[in-house]
Amino acid sequence: MLSVAALNQYYGESHTLWDLSLDIPVGASVALMGRNGVGKTTLLKCIMGLLPVRSGEIRYEDRSLTALRAEQRAELGIGYVPQGREIFPMLTVEENLKTGLRARGDKSKGIPEEIFEIFPVLKTMLRRRGGDLSGGQQQQLAIGRALVLRPKLLILDEPIEGIQPNIVSEIGDVIIRLNRARGKEVHFEKRESSVTDEIRDAIVRVNREMGVTVLLVEQKQHFVKRVADRFLIMDKGRIVAGGTMAELTEDLVRRYLTV
Amino acid sequence: EDTIKVGILHSLSGTMAISETTLKDTMLMLIDEQNKKGGLLGKPLEPVVVDPASNWPLFAEKARELLTKDKVAAIFGCWTSVSRKSVLPVVEELNGLLFYPVQYEGEESSKNVFYTGAAPNQQAIPAVDYLMKELKVKRWVLAGTDYVYPRTTNKILEAYLKSKGVKDKDIMINYTPFGHSDWQSIVAEIKKFGSAGKKTAVVSTINGDANVPFYKELANQGISAESIPVVAFSVGEEELSGIDTKPLVGHLAAWNYFMSVDTPENAAFITKWHQFTKDRKRVTNDPMEAHYIGFNMWVKAVEKAGTTDPDAVSKAIIGIEVPNLTGGMAKMLPNHHITKPVLIGEIQEDGQFQTVWQTKTLVEGDAWSDYLPESKSIIAQWTPPINCGNYNTKTKKCSGQKY
Amino acid sequence: MIAAKAAEAEIPGIPIRDGSVAEHRIEPAHKPILYLEDVTVSFDGFRALNALTLYIDEGELRCIIGPNGAGKSTMMDVITGRTRPDKGTIYFGQTVDLLTLDEPAIAEAGICRKFQKPSVFEAQTVFENLELAMRTDKRVWSTLFARLTGEQLDAIHEVLETIGLTAYRNRRAGELSHGQKQWLEIGMLLMQRPKVLLVDEPVAGMTHQETERTAELLLSLEGKHSVVVVEHDMDFVRSIARRVTVLHEGSVLTEGRMDEVQNDPRVIEVYLGA
Amino acid sequence: MRPLIFGMGRWCIAMLIMMMPGFCQAVADSGESFAEALVRLKEAPLTELGEAVDRLAETKDPRVVPVLRALLDGRLYYRKDDGHVVFGDPAEDGLAIVDVLDEQALGIVSKFELKKIGINNALRTHLRETLGRLELAVEDPAQRLKAVEAMSKSLDDENLELLRARLDVETDAKVSEAIKTALALADISNDEKAVRIAAINALRGSLNPDALNRLRQLLEKDEAGNYLEPDSDVRNSAQVAVKSIESKLALYGAVETVFFGLSLGAVLVLASIGLAITFGVMGVINMAHGELMMLGAYTTYVVQQLMPGHLDISLFVAIPAAFLLSALVGIAIERGIIRFLYGRPLETLLATFGVSLFLQQLVRTIFSPLNRSVATPSWMSGSLEINGALSLTLNRFYILLFCLLVFAALLQVLKRSRIGLEVRAVAQNRAMAKAMGIPTERVDALTFGLGSGIAGVAGVALSQLTNVGPNLGQSYIVDSFMVVVFGGVGNLWGTLIGGFSLGIANKLLEPYAGAVLAKILMLVFIILFIQKRPRGLFPQKGRAAEA
Amino acid sequence: MSFSLLRKSAVDIPFLAVLAAITLLVPLANLALPESSPLHLSTYTVTLMGKYLTYALLALAVDLVWGYCGILSLGHGAFFALGGYAMGMYLMRQIGDRGVYGHPVLPDFMVFLNWKELPWYWYGFDHFWFSLLVVALAPGLLAYVFGWFAFRSRVTGVYLSIITQALTYALMLAFFRNEMGFGGNNGLTDFKDILGFNLQSDGTRAALFVASALALIGAYAASRLVVESKLGRVIAAIRDAENRVRFLGYRVEQFKLWIFVYSAVLAGIAGALYVPQVGIINPSEFSPLNSLEIVIWVAVGGRGTLYGAVVGAILVNFAKTVFTGVLPEMWLFALGAIFILVTLLLPQGLTGLWRRKEQAA
Ligand SMILES: Nc1ncnc2c1ncn2[C@@H]1O[C@H](COP(=O)(O)OP(=O)(O)OP(=O)(O)O)[C@@H](O)[C@H]1O
Ligand SMILES: Nc1ncnc2c1ncn2[C@@H]1O[C@H](COP(=O)(O)OP(=O)(O)OP(=O)(O)O)[C@@H](O)[C@H]1O
Ligand SMILES: NC(N)=O
Ligand SMILES: [Mg+2]
Ligand SMILES: [Mg+2]
């Protein structure tokens, strides 16, 4: 799905990512871990095209992303939930969600109802300015917004930061469902009338056929353990370890994740 | 030095470029002409053009540059009074010569400046006389841009009108900022003022850019020249070329020259101008004539003195006569002002003026107005024994001169 | 622990204007230092705080939890003078009516805050950030002539150690990662030596181990400072919690020990989940 | 020769109506002949031209009216070589001339072969009055009204007689009204008290300024302190009439002031609304905004030059042309300069200031530093006469309408289309907008183009009010920023309401304070207002805005 | 902190040294060298350079509030002009009865606009020291009052910029009014001498140049101390996160007010030095475009570095002098192009070039 090879990135003169390489298989759910400041966010921004890279190659679905601008990458189906939420503060919740419609490519005018099923609070706040929401509400909005463009690859940078516990577990569910949709039944709670059912079913079907690949930066290990099937560990701008969740040993944690 | 340098100090950018650029071109044309005639004292003239950019301190700086760096023999320049005031100390300090071509408020006579435009007595007073006698105007609106020239002119006019028995309530005075563009209220007020049953006229010292919106508003509010004529002192052919003149036919201006004047000198001048600018539509105007006169006077004076030395030239130039473009002779007076005819013209549909009245004789420019109490007793005379620009005939003293 | 040491160290040369802090170290007090009574805040008709009443004791460490949008950050806004309530009273100690003070005066009085979204001075170095936060005379002229004393320098260095940014002291704060900024902001709080610390989501974006360190740090402040912590990380809250207040829809839903609160069905329903 | 035949026809009809049968034929043999009078007219110096006109009129020749009209319109010439008096109308390479005496077309000649018979103001008034008398019976009621008005200026017995006669047959209400007013004005001087009072009562509702002046005179005292009007009843009626007129005038005066304010406001709004987008929404401090307006104004000029015969529709061509030109220039500025400066908003100030200098000098180089003359289409000239005391100038009126139209259109574009949402998203968080798949570059270019295009359109409107010259932009840029900020950055409604309120406030102040002081007071007001509402009239609200 | 110290020593010492050298050499080259010497500087050049230095001082003032505190003042020309008027009034009073009307007290423009006596606000200006006081006080007071209201009301960003513009615009219109008693549009001009020295003599002009240079050096050094002080860092913090500074217990409005007033006083001093050298002060100095230009000098030089402002002011004005003489009809193209290119190619201004090298080293 996504592969990064020999990536080097600099902030001005300071070398942040060093010959970084990684591979994310289709349909995987990968957790990227590492201490503060090792370059996780930087890496995600490079993948998204928001930061220029000095050298190296980023490939997505067998095409090179390197020459593409961020908005073109979005159109290819990469959804991004940034660290710090990055809500459009003066747009209403509804407008925030609508910003993703263009990249969907299917001319739809409305926001898919499933978003509100996942995050009901957004429905009640459609007219409120994004910037007025509480931190946690904003985080939900940020995820919802990324889902609007119906991503094939979903990149999440610390998505549960500041989210109340019960919703954290819901977000976990969402990620799991999006990711494991392939070949499996997906049920979002049905609360709506049957009129929207069809649309939703369609989305669900598409989703199921697609299966969203997930790249997740997260520090909370119990959450990671629940939603990810693979992990990568970063240190000082390099990927230093990786594997299936089962391979995440106490030793690795102590070596790279404790201070 | 194998050329004689002539400084041209007119704004080519900024707010005043609209008016002054033409004067720069005029000077270039006159110098070109003179060179074709073989130059001056056997040397070609070389114009030095600088752009003071409608910035008053820059005028002083550029004047200094012309006099010290370029060592020009004379400067032709300035339009607004403030630019002249800014340059004045510089030409006095460095003993340069400045020829100033625009009508102005008077109250000045410098050893180093020659005023070839009209003094108030060569424009404002005759115009008011005309309105009073010919149009039987009884009520007066004195409208002007809020700066020294209109203020002074209006002060002189107010004193003059009162001396003719006009009452306070029949005079309305209104000042507006530079570039004023919303004239609705003022024009409405003028309209009201003019509907009191007495013949009313507007004496306009409105300057430059503000005129276009002013006249447009006049036209739109239906104030025609017949109901309330406007006589302007700062609107010439150049300004009219930027206005749709159809609705303005019949409004007046007082100048010492109109492009429409039918004399051979003028026809020749216009032809040369059209050739020089390669534009048959370019108009000529009063300050251009002033430069024409000033330049020719300077040339004659230099020839007479046999040198471009400022002291010799200023001595030689007094009394020199050159033809003006309206068929008479302009003479440099000892007060550094010149003699001029006064013409009143009405705006025509084609943007020209038609002369409707003219002084019988030439009027001598008066540096110090006789209608202002403080300057009544002051005279300017740059010839011995007085040799002073502001000589008080009462105290017999020459004030404020550095020489 | 380094953290504890830093917080304990008296910084000579900086007068602590109120001796009461030292007093209560001996006997943890039950005297409220912060009173919120009947505080209501609404935005365009929406009630973010609804007749909220809350007391914080001197030297106490209080955790506040509650669903997203319950009004926790708004409560801090109201206490620090950022938002004016429509109704209600807020007192600091017995006498200081916070509603009559503006932000700097409230800060001066000894209430400091860490924002939910880390906010540091991005163009300045880590060191300078700490220096600016330092408790000292903050009037214009004295700031102009301020010189760092050796003790002040030591204090800054100690805090740098505490927050693990010694190596970054000359970095511009804008170049720090998210988590580093969180630490820096905590460091700035420490520099201010406040009586009341309001800490909004301090461990967001931290690793498990960093979270533990923060817990230690906050615990070490207990007794000397009143600390109000808002956090959604339940492990963290459990590790520091004494008394826990649950906010819901702008008012207190319940209050009590962690284990009580945790098992309250209403809290499970609106907040914790199954 | 259409006009002539037309005129003659009218002349005869007029005479017929005046019940003077046979007049048409009779004219030829009375007094001086038409040809002689014409020669006198040609040779008279300005001071004697009036008398020559009278003589000509006395000939009662059917050709008199067209000749006098031509004289009034400046179409009357004589040939320098043979002295023939001719009508001249502009044609290519000179004037097409027609002999006055025998209506022979004499071909096209150069201006220099002719001499115009010039007139002056006094003469113009005189001519109009004379023509009025002669034309009192023309078909066009508007022209009749003018004729009556011209005659009312000098109410001698002859004119009164004509007017009375006309009143009996007049069908148009406005003309009748005007004649009645004129007759009443005359009656005020009547010896009989009853007639005077009747006349006064007739004038009670009149908004004719002469009526008010005349009525006021009745209330004045002479030097000795005696009333000019001896009869107290007459004075009392006059008093009542004056009061009623004055209260009406006050009302209409207020309406007029509001209109003045709205129209000044409309100009401000037009000038700033494009800025409300580029500055308010995109955050670009565009110092070249004024120059983009200037381009719009020059476009109007060029369009008028290109289609000389179609003045009346020129604006409808100029508006889209100006929009396009300014939009394209705007897009060029955005693509060439501004796009490198996002995230550095203050730098846009520096670069666009450079652009503004550049554009100014460019038009100076292309069009010369002189102002260009932009003509006003006939449908925008003059005023909409509501009544004698209130008339709205048409150009202002249309510009007010236009302003509202532009505003509404813009609002729709930003509301309805995706671009409205996207541009705000881009402005608020460029990186995130990209990550959401918004083509920020295209959005920037289009938005900047839109704002610039509107500036161009505003320039078309300004060309109808003020100078079209290189400085046009500079004189509006400060005011534009002031309006946007006063209204609240980022809020189009704020710009609209802000512009109108500043306009009205200015016009309310102006009569008391004068133009200069009014402007100063407005500025002080803005400064104080911003203290009260530091984010303008309609501030952006919310947590984000406060931070 | 050590960081900032580095910054200071690396640039300031050579920079101040150059200024000091100019202060010494320019008058020498003007007065001591004969005109025939190739190194001789004409009085015209000296005066011109003196003017540049006053502009540099003005730019420095703007850089302090804009570059360091983030207050984009589009009205600093007002403080400059006020200082200039105060000096102009002194120079007018020095004329005494040598005016054209020979009035013992009233300046010429008052005589001919019928003023009967000197307005009260003209009192005291016959004393040099009083005038100097007003040179600093008038702009300082205006800045204080204006800033007190604006900062207390938390007017920030473009709102503040635009009302500073409104301020200078209003003052321009007010000073245009002849009723104000400051000479209307013509302003104050035709000065004769200062402290008894003839303003037109070479010696006086050289002295004015030296005074300007010393003022610039002094202001530069003082401002450097200010921005390197803790106050300087608070100011910079306000620029970046005003609210956060408040929550640290700083009274943001007072800090802003302090730097604003300080900057206004510097601008006033610059104006006072400018007027005797150019010979005129009139309301166009208040014009909003003038104030905008100052900001542009700073941006061209590089904001947020004191020397950038100085360099920018001198270079832009030098370019103007040259262009208006050499390319009188095209110079706006050249100037416009410079502004555009500097913005695009040198985001940190001209001195950014130099700084980049320094960082690389
Ligand atoms: N804009 C920037 N300019 C310079 N350096 C930066 C910038 N942003 C981040 N850095 C530096 O790059 C390094 C990596 O930062 P990054 O934000 O990628 O870390 P992270 O792994 O996401 O940390 P966290 O878990 O705290 O979010 C950090 O040391 C940080 O100081
Ligand atoms: N300026 C505002 N305008 C409108 N609504 C607001 C504003 N400020 C806050 N709110 C609303 O008030 C409620 C409380 O917000 P607050 O930020 O206090 O929540 P919180 O408890 O801190 O939540 P979280 O845990 O997610 O940070 C939210 O629903 C938010 O949308
Ligand atoms: N002298 C003038 N017209 O300013
Ligand atoms: Mg990160
Ligand atoms: Mg919160």
Side-chain angles (χ1 to χ4, degrees), chain D residues 346-347 349-350, chain E residues 55-68 71-73 76 263 290-317 339 342 346-352 355:
Chain D
L346 291 176
E347 263 93 332
L349 175 129
L350 172 59
Chain E
Y55 281 158
L57 180 50
L58 176 58
L60 186 80
V62 169
D63 193 22
L64 277 171
V65 286
W66 182 39
Y68 286 90
I71 301 170
L72 174 57
S73 167
H76 249 55
S263 159
N290 274 25
S291 293
L292 194 76
E293 259 198 69
I294 310 167
V295 172
I296 283 173
W297 304 337
V298 177
V300 166
R303 73 172 169 128
T305 64
L306 296 173
Y307 52 88
V310 172
V311 170
I314 293 177
L315 284 185
V316 173
N317 282 291
F339 292 163
V342 166
L346 305 170
Q348 301 182 309
L350 287 170
T351 56
R355 255 176 294 156

Side-chain angles (χ1 to χ4, degrees), chain A residues 12-113:
Chain A
E13 295 303 316
S14 90
H15 198 164
T16 315
L17 301 183
W18 300 71
D19 276 330
L20 186 144
S21 302
L22 59 81
D23 243 308
I24 293 176
V26 175
S29 178
V30 179
L32 177 64
M33 295 187 284
R35 290 192 199 101
N36 285 144
V38 297
K40 303 178 295 290
T41 300
T42 307
L43 171 62
L44 298 192
K45 283 188 177 169
C46 288
I47 294 172
M48 202 55 224
L50 297 175
L51 279 178
V53 300
R54 186 68 61 90
S55 67
E57 169 86 359
I58 303 172
R59 298 191 71 79
Y60 168 77
E61 287 187 325
D62 287 332
R63 65 204 292 179
S64 171
L65 289 185
T66 324
L68 297 186
R69 291 194 302 269
E71 58 265 32
Q72 293 168 313
R73 300 186 196 198
E75 274 174 26
L76 291 177
I78 306 183
Y80 178 53
V81 180
Q83 185 163 29
R85 322 184 238 286
E86 309 281 325
I87 293 303
F88 302 110
M90 306 308 287
L91 297 189
T92 63
V93 168
E94 184 176 14
E95 289 169 329
N96 262 285
L97 292 170
K98 277 186 173 169
T99 55
L101 287 178
R102 179 193 277 269
R104 265 174 91 92
D106 61 358
K107 302 257 180 296
S108 49
K109 286 248 153 76
I111 301 156
E113 202 59 33

Side-chain angles (χ1 to χ4, degrees), chain C residues 173-193:
Chain C
E175 296 168 4
L176 298 182
S177 77
H178 184 78
Q180 290 166 328
K181 285 181 191 162
Q182 292 268 47
W183 277 110
L184 176 56
E185 205 177 2
I186 292 173
M188 290 167 75
L189 274 191
L190 295 178
M191 291 306 300
Q192 291 182 74
R193 307 184 54 76

Side-chain angles (χ1 to χ4, degrees), chain A residues 125 128 132-137 162, chain C residues 43 46 48 66-74 116 201 232, chain D residues 542-543:
Chain A
M125 301 198 164
R128 206 174 292 181
D132 291 349
L133 298 189
S134 80
Q137 291 162 345
Chain C
F43 302 103
F46 173 84
N68 294 130
K72 305 180 293 296
S73 301
T74 306
Q116 182 163 2
E201 304 199 14
H232 291 294
Chain D
R543 280 178 162 179

Side-chain angles (χ1 to χ4, degrees), chain D residues 360-433:
Chain D
Q360 274 174 43
Q361 196 60 26
L362 192 71
V363 298
R364 243 180 232 129
T365 310
I366 298 177
F367 293 99
S368 99
L370 303 180
N371 285 328
R372 298 287 102 181
S373 143
V374 171
T376 308
S378 58
W379 52 270
M380 267 182 98
S381 312
S383 31
L384 187 69
E385 196 106 6
I386 310 270
N387 59 42
L390 179 66
S391 48
L392 311 180
T393 48
L394 277 172
N395 62 345
R396 299 270 177 184
F397 183 73
Y398 282 116
I399 285 172
L400 180 55
L401 283 187
F402 182 63
C403 163
L404 295 174
L405 214 72
V406 169
F407 181 78
L410 190 64
L411 214 56
Q412 283 310 303
V413 168
L414 290 185
K415 269 257 160 65
R416 289 285 143 83
S417 79
R418 193 178 258 170
I419 188 138
L421 171 63
E422 292 186 343
V423 59
R424 284 183 293 145
V426 171
Q428 288 170 32
N429 192 333
R430 179 164 299 274
M432 199 53 224

